[in-house]
């Protein structure tokens, strides 16, 4: 009798148990945050929620219903216009409404607990971005005792991303950029020199025929030095001056390579023809002498046919204005490089890892290249004709 | 009418975003580049702006026809070892919403 009573009690409990035994469980650390989004081409602020477990279909429908949500501000309560879900494994949802970004917002779902909305990345500042430096070491083929190290470092310590989204143009403004590049060689016969600048940049992006291109306008201050064993100091200052620069990526110039890569599946970003114009007003050298005003024009282009066959060419020209009595005259420089992605060779010839290091050490990025360069180029404007073979993370 | 945000459609959108940055190998699908390191695929002179290019592409591709999804304005963090698979898991599925 007692067993029967217990059995019926258990059955009754099961039958009468509320059908909704589960509830949406929000993340404990960061349940709700305000995020900046693009909606119909304009900036808006949505509330992103983070939940813990995957949702059942009925729970997904509950989350999608705006009526189940309340958004409470200090100045007003706000209507939730719509609620959407992210992909299944993102475990996120988003609430859309017309609340301002500067109100302190709280959220309640199905009249349960009230959660404070954290202000996520709604500000425009970001700090300390940058890429690992690119370094290559090369040996001049004509004179085997001569070696040179080329380096390039870009850091973006502060970025004010006053981004404006439109249908086709996205503008990121005011990035503070620190850039240094140069060559340090074992002899004065190599074009030893460094260029370091600190600049503010405005960066518009524009989409043409499905591919994104970038421009940039920069204003800054820079130092050019001559480096090398023959100098009185290791880094002799040649020019300290302000600089105005404009970068343009020529739309559609990478389209043939883009189409070739889509056919061959060779995965390297098809690089557009890149043009750069620099205006450098008069500055001073390390001894305090006035340096000449200079206009630079630079062009770079790359054709990447396969991992074994990447061509890159560069053309630079510099024009001086003022008294050229010091021996300076307008200069041109050109270089032509043939490079091969060494990672492909490493995959097939395992013993090369003993020489070049493991994949982790050089992050699977290494090139071997042959370069012919000729002419006079900033910062030293030394006339050289070099053929070199090199190895590095760039070429 | 927005395209439903399913895994399959999101994959298409992701590949379209990569193709928009200039990677031709991502035009049909992303199979050939999924495991590749971003730092290796992107030429050095374009690497420092690649995060911004990705977001600009996500905005213009996924925010417009045929997708019309909401796109959160967050640039991806690209480290030395970030692959395109990491980009999918760590960035893309967190910035698109139905």
């Amino acid at each position: 009798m007692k067993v029967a009573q217990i059995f019926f009690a258990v059955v009754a409990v099961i039958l009468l148990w509320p059908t909704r035994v589960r509830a949406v469980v929000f993340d404990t650390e960061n349940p709700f945050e305000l995020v900046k989004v693009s909606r119909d081409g304009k900036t808006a602020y949505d509330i992103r929620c983070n939940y813990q477990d995957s949702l059942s279909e009925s729970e997904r429908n509950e989350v999608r219903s705006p009526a189940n949500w309340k958004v409470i501000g200090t100045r007003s309560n706000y209507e939730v216009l719509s609620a959407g879900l992210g992909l299944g494994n993102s475990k996120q949802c988003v609430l859309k409404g017309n609340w301002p970004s500067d109100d302190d917002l709280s959220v309640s779902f199905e009249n349960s607990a009230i959660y404070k909305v954290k202000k996520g990345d709604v500000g425009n500042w970001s700090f300390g971005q940058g890429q690992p430096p690119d370094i290559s070491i090369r040996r001049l083929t004509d004179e085997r005792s001569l070696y040179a190290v080329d380096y390039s470092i870009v850091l973006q310590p502060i970025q004010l991303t006053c981004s404006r989204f439109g249908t086709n143009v996205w503008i990121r403004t005011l990035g503070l950029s620190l850039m240094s590049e140069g060559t340090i060689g074992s002899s004065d016969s190599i074009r030893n020199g460094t260029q370091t600048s600190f600049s503010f940049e405005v960066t518009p992006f524009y989409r043409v025929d499905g591919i994104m291109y970038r421009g940039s306008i920069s204003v800054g201050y820079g130092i050019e030095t001559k480096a090398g064993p023959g100098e009185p100091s290791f880094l002799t200052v040649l020019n300290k001056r302000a600089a105005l620069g404009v970068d343009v990526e020529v739309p559609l110039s990478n389209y043939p390579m883009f189409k070739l890569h889509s056919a061959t599946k060779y995965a390297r970003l098809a690089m557009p023809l890149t043009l750069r114009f620099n205006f450098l007003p008069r500055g001073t050298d390390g001894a305090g002498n006035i340096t000449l005003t200079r206009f630079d024009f630079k062009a770079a282009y790359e054709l990447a046919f396969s991992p074994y066959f990447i061509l890159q060419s560069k053309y630079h020209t510099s024009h001086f204005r003022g008294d050229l009595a010091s021996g300076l005259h307008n200069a041109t420089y050109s270089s032509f490089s043939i490079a091969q992605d060494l990672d492909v060779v490493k995959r097939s010839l395992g013993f090369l890892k003993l020489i070049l290091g493991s994949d982790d050490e050089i992050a699977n990025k290494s090139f071997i290249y042959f370069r012919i360069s000729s002419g006079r180029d900033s910062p030293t404007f030394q006339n050289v004709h070099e053929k070199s073979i090199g190895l590095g993370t760039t070429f | 009418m927005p395209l439903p945000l399913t895994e399959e459609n999101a994959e298409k959108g992701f590949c379209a975003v990569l193709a928009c940055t200039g990677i031709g190998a991502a035009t049909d699908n992303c199979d050939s580049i999924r495991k590749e390191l971003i730092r290796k695929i992107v030429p050095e002179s374009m690497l420092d702006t690649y995060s911004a290019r990705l977001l600009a592409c996500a905005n213009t591709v996924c925010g417009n026809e045929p997708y019309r999804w909401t796109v959160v304005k967050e640039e991806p963090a690209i480290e030395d070892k970030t692959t395109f698979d990491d980009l999918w898991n760590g960035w893309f599925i967190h910035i698109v919403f139905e």
Side-chain angles (χ1 to χ4, degrees):
Chain A
M1 190 64 183
K2 209 169 183 180
V3 173
Q5 282 177 333
I6 294 170
F7 174 75
F8 284 116
V10 169
V11 171
V13 166
I14 291 170
L15 291 176
L16 296 174
W17 194 261
T19 51
R20 280 181 50 227
V21 291
R22 287 188 61 199
V24 179
V25 179
F26 294 106
D27 187 63
T28 50
E29 297 280 317
N30 189 20
F32 293 90
E33 60 181 331
L34 200 64
V35 292
K36 190 159 63 173
V37 300
S38 169
R39 197 192 300 155
D40 298 325
K42 293 177 182 170
T43 295
Y45 293 92
D46 289 352
I47 295 171
R48 179 164 62 185
C49 85
N50 297 292
Y51 52 85
Q52 287 188 336
D53 300 317
S54 297
L55 303 181
S56 66
E57 194 51 42
S58 65
E59 286 168 332
R60 292 174 72 85
N61 289 334
E62 286 169 21
V63 169
R64 282 195 190 104
S65 171
N68 288 334
W69 295 94
K70 280 182 186 164
V71 174
I72 306 144
T74 54
R75 300 200 291 267
S76 167
N77 293 343
Y78 302 98
E79 184 187 359
V80 177
L81 300 175
S82 69
L85 284 161
L87 281 177
N89 55 349
S90 73
K91 294 181 181 173
Q92 290 180 322
C93 64
V94 68
L95 309 178
K96 300 173 191 177
N98 290 323
W99 41 79
S101 62
D102 59 348
D103 200 355
D104 283 329
L105 302 172
S106 301
V107 169
S108 170
F109 177 63
E110 293 184 327
N111 295 315
S112 61
I114 294 176
Y115 296 90
K116 191 93 178 155
V117 178
K118 184 181 155 193
K119 292 200 173 173
D121 187 23
V122 296
N124 293 313
W125 294 96
S126 59
F127 300 96
Q129 297 184 348
Q131 297 296 333
D134 278 308
I135 295 172
S136 74
I137 302 168
R138 59 191 166 92
R139 190 183 76 178
L140 272 65
T141 55
D142 295 341
E143 177 52 75
R144 293 186 174 188
S145 63
L146 297 184
Y147 290 86
V149 175
D150 300 315
Y151 77 93
S152 169
I153 300 169
V154 177
L155 292 173
Q156 288 155 334
I158 301 173
Q159 290 218 338
L160 177 62
T161 52
C162 305
S163 50
R164 187 181 74 79
F165 278 79
T167 309
N168 279 315
V169 177
W170 183 71
I171 293 178
R172 182 174 67 165
T173 55
L174 280 187
L176 186 58
S177 179
L178 175 66
M179 193 273 290
S180 182
E181 61 182 4
T183 300
I184 298 172
S186 61
S187 164
D188 279 348
S189 62
I190 295 173
R191 188 187 294 105
N192 284 296
T194 69
Q195 292 176 299
T196 303
S197 61
F198 206 56
S199 57
F200 284 98
E201 286 183 351
V202 178
T203 314
F205 292 85
Y206 38 97
R207 190 169 171 229
V208 180
D209 204 22
I211 303 177
M212 192 63 68
Y213 299 93
R214 167 188 162 269
S216 106
I217 301 167
S218 61
V219 179
Y221 187 82
I223 297 176
E224 294 174 320
T225 67
K226 181 173 173 58
E231 295 302 310
S233 70
F234 188 68
L235 292 171
T236 304
V237 176
L238 296 176
N239 198 2
K240 293 184 285 184
R241 76 293 179 273
L244 173 69
V246 177
D247 278 3
V248 179
E249 287 178 0
V250 179
L252 300 180
S253 56
N254 57 345
Y255 200 72
M257 203 48 54
F258 181 87
K259 294 302 282 181
L260 179 69
H261 291 183
S262 63
T264 61
K265 298 297 171 197
Y266 172 43
R268 182 168 169 90
L269 192 143
M271 189 173 163
L273 171 64
T274 307
L275 308 178
R276 182 170 179 83
F277 305 90
N278 280 336
F279 167 64
L280 297 89
R282 286 190 303 177
T284 57
D285 63 14
N289 302 313
I290 302 294
T291 57
L292 296 176
T293 298
R294 193 172 95 217
F295 295 91
D296 291 341
F297 167 74
K298 300 183 178 185
Y301 195 46
E302 179 183 292
L303 298 172
F305 294 100
S306 77
Y308 301 100
F309 190 33
I310 305 171
L311 302 177
Q312 195 181 80
S313 58
K314 291 180 180 175
Y315 174 79
H316 299 175
T317 181
S318 297
H319 293 258
F320 295 94
R321 290 191 66 183
D323 180 11
L324 300 180
S326 58
L328 276 175
H329 46 89
N330 297 338
T332 59
Y333 163 85
S334 56
S335 75
F336 186 76
S337 303
I338 302 172
Q340 179 180 309
D341 181 343
L342 211 52
D343 181 50
V344 179
V345 183
K346 275 168 62 188
R347 280 184 207 165
S348 51
L349 300 173
F351 71 89
L352 273 176
K353 288 184 182 180
L354 296 172
I355 305 167
L356 299 167
S358 69
D359 291 348
D360 286 346
E361 284 169 35
I362 51 177
N364 276 343
K365 184 189 173 192
S366 49
F367 298 95
I368 187 165
Y369 64 90
F370 175 72
R371 182 190 299 159
I372 299 174
S373 56
S374 176
R376 298 184 307 115
D377 192 18
S378 59
T380 59
F381 294 102
Q382 181 183 347
N383 198 14
V384 295
H385 301 277
E386 294 173 345
K387 289 178 193 163
S388 48
I389 184 162
L391 183 68
T393 58
T394 186
F395 55 92
Chain B
M1 180 75 178
L3 207 62
L5 184 61
T6 61
E7 183 107 5
E8 191 184 350
N9 288 338
E11 289 263 2
K12 281 184 195 164
F14 180 59
C15 295
V17 168
L18 298 185
C20 161
T21 63
I23 300 178
T27 46
D28 296 330
N29 58 55
C30 308
D31 292 347
S32 59
I33 57 175
R34 279 281 194 177
K35 305 291 177 199
E36 297 282 6
L37 292 164
I38 292 173
R39 183 165 150 72
K40 181 169 179 291
I41 298 305
V42 179
E44 300 65 46
S45 59
M46 302 172 83
L47 200 55
D48 58 317
T49 56
Y50 196 61
S51 294
R53 285 175 202 265
L54 282 165
L55 179 56
C57 282
N59 171 61
T60 54
V61 171
C62 298
N64 289 299
E65 296 291 347
Y67 304 100
R68 293 191 62 80
W69 297 329
T70 294
V71 180
V72 177
K73 289 186 179 182
E74 281 178 7
E75 289 183 16
I78 296 176
E79 310 284 337
D80 213 10
K81 302 285 173 61
T82 306
T83 64
F84 288 96
D85 250 349
D86 298 332
L87 208 59
W88 162 264
N89 287 310
W91 173 67
F92 189 74
I93 65 170
H94 298 283
I95 65 156
V96 291
F97 291 89
E98 63 185 17

